[in-house]
Amino acid sequence: MRIAHVITRMIIGGAQENTLFNCLDLIRDHGDQVLLITGPSLGPEGSLLEQGRGAELPVALIDSLRRSLNPYRDFTAYQEILKTLRAFKPDVVHTHSAKGGMLGREAAWKLGVPCIIHTVHGAPFHPYQNLVTRQIYRACERHAAGRCHHFISVADAMTELMVQGGIATPDRFTTIYSGMEVEPLRHAKQSRQAMRQQLGIRAEEIVFIKIARLFHLKGHNDLITAAIRIIQENPLVRFLWVGDGLLRESLEQRIHSLGLERHFILAGLVTPDEIPKYLGAADALVHTSYREGLARALPQALIAGIPVVSYDVDGAREVVFTGITGELVPAGNTRSLADSILKLASDRSARERQGREGERRFSDVFCHHQMTRSIRELYLKKISPAV
């Protein structure tokens, strides 16, 4: 098949890594002709395409395809996507992200592409937007829903949000979990001692890792608030933050003002293939984002054999089961967050037991080859009536 993927930008992030694996698997495992259409990866998050991965993947870079709203630039991007798709003549157009999803579906529909699929990595409308913005995004998504044949949700929770938002009916959604490279995660603890030494972590210290952009709604300030009490009650707890973003300076200032520098390690931006080593250095993962589809850091940690403390948002409850693979806490409740972290920090056997259960449950489910097989089967199912 000839398959075009459209995504707004290829920063280092979960939706982008999911898309890259899908594109490369289609080429390597199935012999498909694939084109990735994307805009520039601007900002501090870094570019996934500049890491030397997927050199064989053809990429059409459209400079006007940007995340921020700009009517003139957006219309230009639409025209460029239309032109690119017309030349490529795809059997399938698979879109991702809000802007790429809107423009890509509109262009593919105009061209009569036989199969148009959109992946919901996270709903573009959410309670933390003002009412007018939320209503505009909902209206746009309803319009775009009429320009595709089927949706893929990265978690059942995404289907529920889209259905509740009146975007489409449940029968138009299929849940396919995001894929990842499983084997390096399963062997993450082999590098534990070396990574802890490199990061200056003592053997007796208990490390909670957080993997997320330093950005709004990621909950880093909540974790700092919880850490005040956590460190008072258990000074052996340390927090390892992986990721970068525009809030780095303000977060560092707050950590410094509270005298907590000794207990926080800000590793900055790391490449996806380094994530297993950092997970191997940790004893548990903490996830305090207020909105996610299903953050890939959660299954990554569980496959690596460490439990998760997570806010109970979106798809988190599909992999984090309290007392079994970790602890779920109400979003924004820093007291409960501190309680759960202190509970796991004080119980090594629980951490080990929950980590083993996470690895057992999710190592196969989140394999990227399995994800791509399921996606390709969906392509064939949806394209067959049209050919």
Side-chain angles (χ1 to χ4, degrees), residues 41-59:
S41 298
L42 305 173
E45 296 90 352
S47 172
L48 199 59
L49 296 177
E50 291 178 1
Q51 299 178 2
R53 296 169 64 191
E56 74 268 42
L57 175 61
V59 177

Side-chain angles (χ1 to χ4, degrees), residues 184 188 191-192 195 198-199 273-282:
S191 59
R192 178 179 174 85
M195 278 302 296
Q198 178 182 321
L199 293 166
D273 60 353
E274 293 179 296
I275 292 294
K277 293 189 296 183
Y278 283 87
L279 286 168

Side-chain angles (χ1 to χ4, degrees), residues 221 224 246-257:
N221 266 310
I224 296 173
L246 58 84
L247 297 184
R248 182 178 183 119
E249 185 176 348
S250 65
L251 292 167
E252 285 182 323
Q253 287 175 352
R254 186 172 181 222
I255 291 168
H256 178 76
S257 71

Side-chain angles (χ1 to χ4, degrees), residues 277-331:
K277 293 189 296 183
Y278 283 87
L279 286 168
D283 299 285
L285 180 132
V286 59
H287 186 70
T288 53
S289 290
Y290 280 78
R291 56 179 297 266
E292 296 275 356
L294 173 53
R296 67 195 292 110
L298 304 184
Q300 282 176 333
L302 292 167
I303 294 166
I306 65 174
V308 172
V309 176
S310 175
Y311 277 171
D312 186 6
V313 298
D314 299 336
R317 69 197 66 165
E318 295 174 38
V319 294
V320 183
F321 310 109
T322 295
I324 300 172
T325 60
E327 298 280 330
L328 280 178
V329 299

